[in-house]
Amino acid sequence: MLLGGNSMKLSKYFQHIKMDEQYEAIFNSILMQIIFVEKEKINDIKNFNLTKEETKLMIENGIYETTSDMEEVYETLKFGIKKQVKIPTIMYLNVSTFCNLACKYCFIESSPISSQKYTKMSFKTAKIAVDKFLAELEKNKIKESQIIFYGGEPLTNFEVVKKTINYIQEEKKSNITLTIITNGTLLTKEIIQFLMDKHIGIGISIDGPKFINDKNRVFKSGNNSVYDKAMAAIKLLNNMNSSYCVSATVTPDVVENEQEVLNWLIDSKIKNVFWNLYHYSSNTNDWEKHYNKMSDFILNSYKKLKDNGIDEEKVKEQIEMFLNQTFKFHSCGAVGLNQLTIKPNGDVCICQGDSRSYKNIVGNIIKDDIADILNNPANNEWLKMYTIDKEECKYCPALSVCGGGCPLQAEVLFGKRTNLDNASCIYYKKLLEWLIKQYFYVTIESNLERKAD
């Protein structure tokens, strides 16, 4: 068929997903402008059996192509992301590699590459890292950035955390976002008050009710209940009206006890939760089964939690990006070298999962400039992990919402960090369908209400 002298074809990025028995969603997986059509219309679209107005709509939304426009858009996207490489916006300060817990699934502790002895960071090293990172942000004119106090358990070195926060806010006069990730067992009223006064984001790692949490999250000493200590901290945070977010890993036990976990969140008066995808630290054949169940759990729980005043931050962020038609280039800050992890002695690795390994050290923040660290040839693999560069991802319907999975999990399950993390593909494909269906339900309900009026 000819239109305006140009050859017209169905875009290779054309996708359609069933909404219900009557409707399907059609879209271009790069542009993500959703159109809902009756399912009988799909064949008419594929056969170019449309009216002029319908054909125009298909062209405007990238369903039909009259030139090689979509390949040009694809190349433009690839070019755009390349302009963002080697510009770190996140810095993990691993102030202590020691943790008082020995979580059975921990990617740092359980990984076979974890070999370094326990050490703590000095304030001198933290200060150098902060100075160089803030200078890098200023050089690149970065407006949104973050420093994350990390471990191990960062509260095992709280004095350095405290001095570093005071240095950033009082001496450097920086309003950079600061966050601490803690298991909560060492939190006290005094520490919480300090973090509140300084407006520090608090992430508490806990996986659910006691029978779930204490199965995998145990003290190194083997004594006492991690759950009891962490929940005492959460009650203290609630009593002090402190904002915090529970960071929960969706283990098989969480999935199998969905209602108990959701009831626990509600009863504990937790207002914010972030579901962490379970990342395998050893090779297994169970990943496909679990990722299907885990994805359903995360997506099905969103509305139930929201109806009870609880925000699930992982899906909430994806909803905002979807509605704003923001193309997600990566799910991991390490990809593209957009983050740095500083070890206690100043050694630098890119991924926080390498925090206790002698491998993958690419420089030292005390001796080296950040630019030289980022330009280390050993970092080149982090530039080869974008989904938009992978041929197997190019025509995936979830391309724009995915960003890829975890490189460390790709290495464990699929051989190399640069390989596709096929486990995470399951989650992001289900996420896309869920996002479009939520949009569909809102659209249909809105149309019905207008007709009723």
Side-chain angles (χ1 to χ4, degrees):
M1 180 175 181
L2 297 177
L3 185 72
N6 290 321
S7 176
M8 187 166 62
K9 61 184 179 181
L10 189 67
S11 175
K12 290 181 179 179
Y13 302 98
F14 166 67
Q15 306 285 347
H16 60 99
I17 296 176
K18 180 180 178 180
M19 296 290 101
D20 60 16
E21 293 305 314
Q22 185 178 359
Y23 289 98
E24 295 209 16
I26 63 171
F27 57 96
N28 177 304
S29 55
I30 298 178
L31 303 179
M32 289 306 298
Q33 294 165 204
I34 312 297
I35 304 171
F36 299 114
V37 300
E38 294 183 353
K39 64 179 182 180
E40 291 80 5
K41 204 74 176 176
I42 298 297
N43 283 333
D44 290 338
I45 291 169
K46 291 180 178 179
N47 295 322
F48 303 96
N49 186 24
L50 302 178
T51 66
K52 286 185 177 180
E53 285 301 313
E54 290 171 334
T55 300
K56 181 182 178 183
L57 183 65
M58 295 299 109
I59 294 172
E60 289 174 347
N61 289 279
I63 307 301
Y64 290 166
E65 295 181 34
T66 55
T67 64
S68 59
D69 286 346
M70 282 305 108
E71 291 306 316
E72 292 173 10
V73 172
Y74 193 83
E75 291 303 317
T76 299
L77 284 170
K78 290 177 69 172
F79 177 75
I81 191 58
K82 302 307 179 187
K83 293 169 66 176
Q84 301 175 39
V85 303
K86 299 184 181 181
I87 300 179
T89 59
I90 300 170
M91 182 170 71
Y92 284 86
L93 276 183
N94 192 338
V95 295
S96 174
T97 59
F98 177 76
C99 185
N100 57 335
L101 305 190
C103 300
K104 296 175 184 178
Y105 57 69
C106 179
F107 218 111
I108 295 175
E109 292 289 338
S110 301
S111 173
I113 65 173
S114 291
S115 54
Q116 283 188 320
K117 295 180 180 179
Y118 297 124
T119 52
K120 294 183 179 181
M121 182 178 286
S122 68
F123 173 65
K124 179 180 178 181
T125 298
K127 181 175 178 293
I128 292 170
V130 166
D131 286 344
K132 290 188 176 181
F133 184 62
L134 293 180
E136 192 73 10
L137 296 176
E138 185 176 358
K139 181 183 78 174
N140 293 306
K141 299 179 180 179
I142 301 299
K143 294 181 180 180
E144 294 185 9
S145 54
Q146 187 176 22
I147 292 176
I148 300 171
F149 295 96
Y150 198 70
E153 170 51 53
L155 291 183
T156 61
N157 194 11
F158 179 64
E159 282 307 309
V160 167
V161 172
K162 185 176 181 179
K163 289 180 71 174
T164 305
I165 290 170
N166 285 332
Y167 175 69
I168 293 169
Q169 295 184 346
E170 296 174 11
E171 295 187 46
K172 301 298 287 188
K173 308 295 182 185
S174 174
N175 60 357
I176 185 174
T177 299
L178 302 177
T179 302
I180 187 166
I181 307 297
T182 172
N183 60 45
T185 61
L186 300 178
L187 277 174
T188 64
K189 184 176 181 180
E190 292 71 28
I191 291 174
I192 292 171
Q193 190 62 58
F194 172 80
L195 297 175
M196 288 176 63
D197 292 344
K198 297 296 183 176
H199 306 288
I200 310 301
I202 305 172
I204 306 289
S205 300
I206 186 170
D207 291 343
K210 187 170 183 174
F211 75 97
I212 292 176
N213 186 81
D214 285 0
K215 182 176 181 180
N216 288 303
R217 300 179 66 78
V218 295
F219 284 110
K220 273 193 168 69
S221 64
N223 299 322
N224 301 319
S225 164
V226 172
Y227 176 84
D228 289 346
K229 292 287 288 183
M231 285 306 298
I234 286 175
K235 289 176 183 176
L236 193 56
L237 287 160
N238 287 338
N239 290 339
M240 295 175 70
N241 293 316
S242 173
S243 61
Y244 63 93
C245 182
V246 161
S247 176
T249 299
V250 188
T251 65
D253 287 311
V254 169
V255 171
E256 296 300 328
N257 295 277
E258 177 175 346
Q259 197 54 54
E260 289 91 336
V261 171
L262 299 185
N263 288 341
W264 164 75
L265 284 169
I266 296 165
D267 295 343
S268 301
K269 296 181 172 57
I270 293 166
K271 296 302 180 186
N272 295 281
V273 62
F274 186 97
W275 295 127
N276 291 308
L277 299 183
Y278 183 84
H279 287 160
Y280 288 90
S281 56
S282 60
N283 203 346
T284 175
N285 293 322
D286 295 338
W287 60 268
E288 186 170 5
K289 180 180 178 181
H290 178 62
Y291 262 72
N292 271 296
K293 288 186 174 182
M294 175 175 64
S295 302
D296 292 339
F297 167 85
I298 292 172
L299 299 173
N300 292 338
S301 69
Y302 182 80
K303 186 176 187 303
K304 296 176 187 177
L305 293 174
K306 188 175 181 182
D307 288 344
N308 284 278
I310 301 173
D311 279 335
E312 197 290 299
E313 301 296 336
K314 185 179 188 68
V315 177
K316 183 180 178 181
E317 178 188 14
Q318 292 278 177
I319 291 172
E320 291 173 357
M321 294 183 72
F322 175 76
L323 292 175
N324 293 327
Q325 295 182 317
T326 303
F327 195 103
K328 189 173 183 180
F329 287 107
H330 54 74
S331 303
C332 166
V335 174
L337 302 175
N338 294 143
Q339 74 174 40
L340 297 168
T341 299
I342 315 300
K343 300 185 182 188
N345 67 350
D347 281 345
V348 179
C349 55
I350 303 303
C351 174
Q352 68 273 23
D354 289 327
S355 294
R356 283 196 55 230
S357 170
Y358 287 106
K359 296 172 60 179
N360 304 312
I361 295 170
V362 292
N364 186 284
I365 200 68
I366 299 169
K367 300 181 291 185
D368 303 321
D369 291 333
I370 287 180
D372 293 333
I373 293 170
L374 294 172
N375 286 322
N376 186 327
N379 285 326
N380 288 343
E381 69 171 6
W382 295 108
L383 305 177
K384 301 174 183 177
M385 298 177 186
Y386 289 114
T387 53
I388 201 165
D389 286 334
K390 296 183 184 294
E391 193 61 32
E392 63 263 51
C393 298
K394 186 171 185 179
Y395 301 113
C396 174
L399 178 65
S400 71
V401 303
C402 173
C406 174
L408 270 65
Q409 178 165 261
E411 182 177 35
V412 169
L413 295 181
F414 309 111
K416 291 194 303 183
R417 293 190 180 190
T418 52
N419 286 346
L420 186 63
D421 177 12
N422 289 288
S424 293
C425 291
I426 294 171
Y427 171 73
Y428 287 110
K429 286 177 181 177
K430 289 200 171 200
L431 170 68
L432 173 70
E433 183 172 346
W434 183 87
L435 288 168
I436 295 176
K437 282 188 174 179
Q438 303 313 302
Y439 183 52
F440 170 72
Y441 297 143
V442 170
T443 302
I444 293 297
E445 288 175 3
S446 178
N447 286 340
L448 289 174
E449 289 174 2
R450 283 200 296 270
K451 287 180 180 179
D453 291 339

